[in-house]
Amino acid sequence: MTTSRPQVQKLATLAGHRDCVYTLTGTAGEELVYSAGADGLVVSWRADAPEQDGELVARVENSVYALRHLPARNLLVLGHNFQGVQVIDLATRTLLHATALPPVAIFDLLYSEARQRLYVALADGTLAVLRASDFRLETLLRLSEKSLRCLSLHEERGELAVGGSDWRVRILDADTLAVRHTIEGATNSVFTAAYSPDGRYLLTAGRDAHLRIWDVAAGYQEHRSIVAHLFTINHLIFSPDARLLATCSMDKSIKLWDAETWQLLRVVDRARHAGHGTSVNKLFWPGSRNRLVSCSDDRTLAVWQVEEGRS
C-alpha cells in the first residue's frame, strides 16, 4: 500500500547548543532525545514537550559525533573524539566507564543487545569492539586506510554493515568480524547506512548525494539508485511504523520517502517549512506522536509533526 503524502508542521526550534549539533539519539517509543556536537555539550530534550528547555547531561572537552542510548540499562554512550568511548549513568549523570581508543574521531556507535557488544567506527579505518558488560576493549580491527563512517546491523543474518570514506561498504560477520561482502557502488564517501525494517534491503548514502538500495538476499546487488539530494546526504532513518524513510542533507533539507516504493513524498526546507539554515546532520523519530527531530550546523534542533495526509 502506498503511503499518502504526509503533512509536516514545525512545532519548535530547540536552542542551547553553542556550536554545530552533529548527532541525536534516543529510543523509539520514548520521548527523550539526546543531542551533542562541536561544543562538547550533551543535552536531553523532550519531544512531547518541546517548549521545555534542554537539560545538560554531560560536558566533554572535544566534539561528539556519535551517541547511543541503552534504555534497558539507563545508559548513554558517547564517542568523545580523541578520548575514546564514555558511558554516562543517566540516573546519576555520572561517568560510569571510560574506554581509551586510538586518539581519533569516532563517527558511529552501534549496540547489539543479543551479542552484548558495542561496535565503534573510527576515523583511522579501525573498527573497535567493546564488551557490553564493562565496556572494555575486546577487538581492534583495521578495515581501511580511510575513515569508517557508519554502522548498521542485520540481527537475523548476523551481518554488520560498515560504510566508509573509501567509498566502500563492507558486510562483516557480526560475531567473527570476517568480511562476507564488499559493496562498491558509491562514487564518494558513505556516511550513512540502514537496513530496512523487514531486512530485505540495505540503504546507503553519502557524499555523492545518491540513495542506494541493495538487495540483501541477492548478495547485496544494487536494487535501485536515486539522486536524492543536491549535496551530501548525512543521515537516513526509517520511521517506527516502517512506512516512511527520512533523509537529511548538507543541502539544508529533509526529505520524506515512501519506505516501500521509494517515492519522494515531501521536502522539508527553509522556504516551505521554516527549516534549518545550514546542513542538516542527523534525524531521530522519538515516540508515538509521529514526531521527527532534526539537528543542524545552525546550532539548533527542530521538532516536526508528521501526519499522513492527502496530496
Side-chain angles (χ1 to χ4, degrees), residues 61-277:
E61 295 175 5
N62 302 312
S63 55
V64 177
Y65 295 152
L67 290 173
R68 185 65 59 172
H69 181 223
L70 309 186
R73 299 169 65 183
N74 201 27
L75 302 178
L76 185 68
V77 184
L78 60 107
H80 183 187
N81 286 346
F82 309 102
Q83 297 291 328
V85 167
Q86 299 183 356
V87 182
I88 306 296
D89 183 324
L90 289 171
T92 60
R93 303 283 172 92
T94 57
L95 180 65
L96 201 60
H97 301 283
T99 303
L101 293 173
V104 296
I106 296 170
F107 285 116
D108 205 3
L109 300 166
L110 189 149
Y111 179 71
S112 171
E113 179 69 35
R115 290 170 174 79
Q116 286 293 291
R117 277 177 154 181
L118 179 77
Y119 301 94
V120 185
L122 300 176
D124 65 354
T126 299
L127 178 71
V129 182
L130 277 57
R131 205 165 56 193
S133 57
D134 54 10
F135 295 94
R136 290 194 175 181
L137 182 64
E138 186 180 297
T139 308
L140 280 175
L141 176 65
R142 188 69 177 271
L143 289 174
S144 173
E145 296 300 311
K146 300 285 186 69
S147 299
L148 305 184
R149 299 299 302 242
C150 58
L151 303 168
S152 186
L153 184 64
H154 196 306
E155 285 278 16
E156 292 74 19
R157 291 175 63 96
E159 292 181 342
L160 176 69
V162 184
S165 292
D166 62 1
W167 310 4
R168 295 180 175 89
V169 181
R170 293 169 177 84
I171 308 299
L172 308 187
D173 183 299
D175 296 306
T176 69
L177 305 182
V179 179
R180 292 184 180 177
H181 304 276
T182 300
I183 301 173
E184 298 184 354
T187 58
N188 213 316
S189 299
V190 180
F191 282 176
T192 180
Y195 283 99
S196 60
D198 61 10
R200 293 173 59 199
Y201 301 106
L202 174 69
L203 281 71
T204 64
R207 200 180 287 279
D208 66 9
H210 283 65
L211 176 63
R212 288 186 167 84
I213 303 159
W214 310 93
D215 189 321
V216 173
Y220 293 90
Q221 290 183 15
E222 188 173 281
H223 173 71
R224 192 160 172 197
S225 177
I226 301 167
V227 182
H229 282 269
L230 294 175
F231 304 121
T232 299
I233 299 171
N234 290 319
H235 191 221
L236 62 89
I237 186 171
F238 287 91
S239 61
D241 63 6
R243 294 172 65 85
L244 295 173
L245 169 73
T247 58
C248 65
S249 169
M250 196 177 286
D251 68 12
K252 311 175 188 177
S253 75
I254 300 165
K255 293 188 177 182
L256 300 176
W257 310 78
D258 187 304
E260 186 176 333
T261 66
W262 318 117
Q263 176 188 358
L264 178 61
L265 300 174
R266 179 71 65 186
V267 179
V268 180
D269 60 15
R270 193 173 184 86
R272 282 165 276 204
H273 299 90
H276 291 289

Side-chain angles (χ1 to χ4, degrees), residues 2-73:
T2 301
T3 301
S4 57
R5 194 162 182 248
Q7 301 299 318
V8 178
Q9 177 188 359
K10 186 178 184 180
L11 296 181
T13 296
L14 307 181
H17 280 282
R18 300 168 186 166
D19 209 331
C20 304
V21 189
Y22 293 136
T23 187
L24 300 170
T25 193
T27 297
E30 297 186 9
E31 299 297 342
L32 274 178
V33 179
Y34 301 91
S35 63
D39 58 7
L41 302 179
V42 182
V43 183
S44 68
W45 314 83
R46 292 201 65 90
D48 60 343
E51 69 282 356
Q52 295 182 8
D53 290 337
E55 291 189 14
L56 184 66
V57 175
R59 187 194 308 264
V60 297
E61 295 175 5
N62 302 312
S63 55
V64 177
Y65 295 152
L67 290 173
R68 185 65 59 172
H69 181 223
L70 309 186
R73 299 169 65 183

